[in-house]
Amino acid sequence: MSLSRVKDLRLPLMNLVRLKGTPILEQLHLEERLLRTSSDNWCIVNDGTNVPTIVMGMSGKPSQLLEVRPVMEDRIPVIKRFTGGGTVIVDKSTLFVSLICNKDDVPNVQPYPRSVMAWSGSLYGEVFKGVNGFQLRENDYVFGDRKFGGNAQSIIKNRWIHHTSFLWDYDVRNMAYLKLPSRVPQYRLERDHTEFVCRMKDYIERSDFVERTVKAVGNQFSLKQVNLEDINSYAKGGYLKTTRLLTMEELEEAMAGTIQNA
Amino acid sequence: MALRMWASSTANALKLSSSVSKSHLSPFSISRCFSTVLEGLKYASSHEWVKHEGSVATIGITAHAQDHLGEVVFVELPEENTSVTKEKSFGAVESVKATSEILSPISGEIIEVNKKLTESPGLINSSPYEDGWMIKVKPSSPAELESLMGPKEYTKFCEEEDAAH
């Protein structure tokens, strides 16, 4: 038996699912289902989503976070996800990496937000080794003082998920759908979206990033590729699905609320 | 070590148990140098507390939990007149970038929900055992309280958990 094979046997198992262009709502539903009904560890990589979509955190209020009128006029889907954190607009240029772990398989990480965030920062530190200026800054991945990766988590009894949307590239026009949030990291200062974020493509090749990420995860887990079609055998039983698409009525209410408060 | 002794003597004066939280120890964060554990409450290993008075049990999360979670910005709580089950989720808090589910230490029927937490979720940080209470429950199996930890046991549990990481 080779040494690397022996090493693998000592690492906890993680299932790797590689997607391409999967709609973000479908990805989030999959993640919530695996978090709540599977007992395995999972790494899900989605190379882009199909259409521009706004994704808010669990407590997000559209009237506060979105320019609701253009969102409705341009029929941009708005999702409320099961994890915390802020609002992003994602599209085919966005890269998604999600890690679902049993807390006992990552014993040096306490199941609390800051501990999980620090662990993720260390993992991506390996991915971006040699790429100038990478760091976890407050709760964002940045190059220097510009954000390119947004993080969110959900922590349940014995498991947690940490997922990230990486801004490979973006259309400036899409940023105009988002308001400046009331809660911002200190390092943002008062910069608007275009001054605050940067494009990952200016720092690393897309395929390079994906392979380095899989390799970094593989240094801590023994990876096994799983196809989407086989997921049902891993995720059994019912669960409360909280990730959902906001209805037109909800967006209309949000717009009415915005007009009233103006 | 001196800081730990100060914390211990202060805790004794206030008739509180205390465990020194190893996270965030610095000369300038004395208020966070220990997590308060109150006498007279029972504690779950998932860091919720229960105060049992007559036929009502009040439930919230501990000072240790709120310290580790960070600033709470949103609380999701159930409706009144619904039921809770021991060790099952009844709600969630959002802090930093995370939603963290809250587990009920006991089973029963919810008779009151703390509506102040909608507008002021930070009460969970500033007053985890008083103004930050989450739900009041009519216990269906009072014997479940016996399986929970007392203050000394919970203090030791927190110290061991922090030391292990």
Side-chain angles (χ1 to χ4, degrees):
Chain A
M1 191 184 278
S2 70
L3 273 174
S4 60
R5 188 93 174 88
V6 169
K7 176 191 159 212
D8 273 0
L9 290 176
R10 289 200 303 257
L11 298 175
L13 195 64
M14 179 174 273
N15 299 319
L16 172 65
V17 181
R18 297 181 79 148
L19 308 171
K20 188 169 174 63
T22 296
I24 185 61
L25 183 63
E26 193 178 316
Q27 177 194 324
L28 290 167
H29 279 159
L30 172 67
E31 290 175 8
E32 193 172 6
R33 184 179 168 208
L34 290 175
L35 176 71
R36 298 193 194 285
T37 66
S38 165
S39 54
D40 287 3
N41 301 308
W42 295 87
C43 175
I44 298 154
V45 180
N46 188 14
D47 189 342
T49 190
N50 57 337
V51 297
T53 306
I54 290 168
V55 187
M56 299 191 304
M58 180 185 91
S59 61
K61 293 184 172 63
S63 58
Q64 292 174 4
L65 296 166
L66 309 180
E67 298 292 354
V68 185
R69 185 183 294 279
V71 166
M72 290 179 67
E73 284 173 354
D74 297 345
R75 299 192 169 276
I76 307 294
V78 180
I79 291 170
K80 190 175 272 202
R81 65 180 188 263
F82 66 106
T83 53
T87 306
V88 291
I89 178 157
V90 298
D91 59 23
K92 61 177 170 40
S93 300
T94 316
L95 271 160
F96 304 91
V97 179
S98 307
L99 294 157
I100 299 173
C101 294
N102 292 312
K103 67 176 180 130
D104 291 341
D105 287 333
V106 204
N108 55 325
V109 178
Q110 279 204 347
Y112 291 111
R114 287 180 288 230
S115 183
V116 174
M117 193 69 75
W119 171 82
S120 83
S122 167
L123 183 131
Y124 283 105
E126 273 184 57
V127 174
F128 293 107
K129 205 169 183 180
V131 181
N132 229 355
F134 169 77
Q135 60 173 308
L136 171 66
R137 191 154 183 184
E138 295 183 47
N139 302 300
D140 300 331
Y141 301 139
V142 302
F143 293 121
D145 65 352
R146 291 217 180 199
K147 176 178 176 176
F148 71 94
N151 296 302
Q153 301 162 347
S154 179
I155 301 168
I156 64 171
K157 192 172 173 180
N158 294 310
R159 288 162 70 69
W160 45 260
I161 178 170
H162 176 97
H163 62 187
T164 311
S165 58
F166 290 95
L167 208 50
W168 175 259
D169 194 2
Y170 64 86
D171 187 336
V172 171
R173 289 172 297 181
N174 283 345
M175 294 295 165
Y177 292 117
L178 307 181
K179 287 182 176 173
L180 195 64
S182 56
R183 269 197 312 272
V184 293
Q186 285 181 352
Y187 79 95
R188 180 165 182 158
L189 303 172
E190 286 180 14
R191 292 178 284 166
D192 68 20
H193 290 295
T194 55
E195 293 295 312
F196 175 52
V197 298
C198 65
R199 295 175 167 88
M200 203 164 109
K201 69 176 189 179
D202 295 333
Y203 294 85
I204 190 169
E205 294 291 326
R206 197 172 175 101
S207 56
D208 207 15
F209 165 72
V210 173
E211 293 321 310
R212 284 197 196 188
T213 298
V214 170
K215 185 167 182 240
V217 176
N219 286 338
Q220 300 194 42
F221 298 88
S222 176
L223 290 174
K224 179 181 108 174
Q225 187 116 347
V226 169
N227 296 325
L228 192 58
E229 308 84 73
D230 300 327
I231 289 286
N232 283 339
S233 61
Y234 293 90
K236 297 187 191 300
Y239 69 101
L240 183 63
K241 186 195 282 186
T242 60
T243 300
R244 61 186 186 83
L245 199 59
L246 265 59
T247 62
M248 200 51 80
E249 288 73 27
E250 285 173 297
L251 292 175
E252 280 165 359
E253 266 179 43
M255 194 154 73
T258 308
I259 293 166
Q260 258 186 344
N261 293 332
Chain B
M1 179 63 79
L3 203 56
R4 187 192 287 258
M5 287 170 67
W6 177 89
S8 177
S9 66
T10 302
N12 285 337
L14 293 170
K15 295 189 182 358
L16 300 173
S17 303
S18 67
S19 68
V20 176
S21 168
K22 286 199 165 67
S23 59
H24 314 295
L25 272 176
S26 87
F28 303 109
S29 61
I30 289 172
S31 63
R32 298 178 78 192
C33 78
F34 63 91
S35 294
T36 310
V37 178
L38 296 192
E39 296 292 331
L41 304 186
K42 297 289 247 179
Y43 298 88
S45 58
S46 46
H47 304 286
E48 292 84 14
W49 57 265
V50 186
K51 185 175 184 181
H52 190 206
E53 293 170 304
S55 61
V56 177
T58 307
I59 293 168
I61 66 168
T62 65
H64 176 98
Q66 66 78 27
D67 182 53
H68 281 61
L69 286 170
E71 185 194 351
V72 176
V73 297
F74 181 76
V75 185
E76 190 175 70
L77 289 173
E79 298 286 321
E80 289 168 6
N81 303 316
T82 56
S83 61
V84 290
T85 305
K86 184 178 166 70
E87 293 176 359
K88 299 282 185 218
S89 171
F90 69 82
V93 296
E94 184 178 349
S95 66
V96 194
K97 298 276 186 169
T99 58
S100 300
E101 66 176 15
I102 311 297
L103 307 181
S104 185
I106 58 170
S107 309
E109 190 195 341
I110 299 173
I111 57 173
E112 195 179 343
V113 169
N114 187 353
K115 296 181 178 60
K116 282 189 194 167
L117 294 180
T118 306
E119 289 303 317
S120 305
L123 288 172
I124 287 175
N125 297 116
S126 60
S127 183
Y129 298 109
E130 290 175 16
D131 295 337
W133 67 272
M134 290 181 161
I135 57 173
K136 291 186 194 281
V137 169
K138 193 169 151 190
S140 56
S141 299
E144 285 176 339
L145 286 154
E146 304 305 316
S147 64
L148 299 173
M149 290 182 269
K152 284 192 175 58
E153 205 183 337
Y154 177 65
T155 302
K156 187 161 179 263
F157 175 78
C158 291
E159 285 173 355
E160 286 172 356
E161 196 176 71
D162 281 341
H165 294 92

